[in-house]
Amino acid sequence: MKIIKTVLITLIVSQANSVVAASCEQTIEGNDMLQFNLKEIVMSSTCSEVTINLKHTGQLAGNIMGHNWVLSKTEDFMAVALAGGSAGPSENYVPLNDSRVIASTVIIGGGEETSVTFSLASLGIGEDYTFFCSFPGHYAIMKGAFIITN
Ligand code: CO
């Protein structure tokens, strides 16, 4: 019995450690109400790369209520969102070969998940970044701050 307890405690402690280590990864959810569940994502500059997991918790299809996760500088965000709309569904509403796009996922529909992993090397602490969904019309509401700390 004592051994089992020790194993359990070890498991709990190692899980707690992995939570700390997993801070270079963030899951964000989008739903059928045009909402992300986070207004802000904070990542440490000590992460050489970060992973964003996007989960669509709704039921509507990707061509009706599609969501993606796109990151740009805040000053570029509107222009990238508009260019994404022009790029269309075949490009997941992300402008092709556009250096203003720091990272992006594909468009997903209800019940689907996707992720993107990217380097923070070119990003600066304290600079102003915005994440958003570039599905036409969504960016006005589905957006938030992406913050890099020490
Ligand atoms: Co969307």
Side-chain angles (χ1 to χ4, degrees):
M1 202 54 197
K2 196 180 177 195
I3 291 169
I4 291 170
K5 263 190 188 165
T6 308
V7 168
L8 276 176
I9 288 164
T10 307
L11 273 174
I12 289 163
V13 168
S14 66
Q15 274 192 341
N17 285 340
S18 75
V19 167
V20 172
S23 63
C24 299
E25 188 168 353
Q26 177 68 59
T27 296
I28 181 168
E29 297 176 358
N31 64 20
D32 283 344
M33 308 284 283
L34 283 183
Q35 293 162 330
F36 278 136
N37 68 332
L38 300 176
K39 290 276 173 226
E40 152 179 312
I41 293 176
V42 180
M43 289 291 184
S44 166
S45 63
T46 58
C47 298
S48 57
E49 53 182 28
V50 299
T51 296
I52 303 296
N53 302 307
L54 173 65
K55 225 173 148 173
H56 193 318
T57 58
Q59 314 215 319
L60 296 173
N63 61 342
I64 296 165
M65 184 55 68
H67 300 317
N68 62 1
W69 189 91
V70 181
L71 181 65
S72 71
K73 284 186 178 171
T74 297
E75 64 189 36
D76 295 332
F77 139 66
M78 288 285 269
V80 171
L82 292 173
S86 303
S90 63
E91 303 298 337
N92 291 288
Y93 297 109
V94 176
L96 204 59
N97 301 321
D98 189 324
S99 61
R100 297 172 301 182
V101 177
I102 297 166
S104 66
T105 70
V106 297
I107 291 275
I108 57 171
E112 296 178 327
E113 288 184 41
T114 188
S115 71
V116 60
T117 297
F118 59 99
S119 168
L120 292 183
S122 66
L123 307 192
I125 295 165
E127 282 187 45
D128 204 349
Y129 302 100
T130 293
F131 69 81
F132 58 98
C133 172
S134 66
F135 191 96
H138 290 197
Y139 66 88
I141 302 164
M142 298 189 75
K143 63 178 178 174
F146 187 86
I147 296 160
I148 301 169
T149 60
N150 282 313

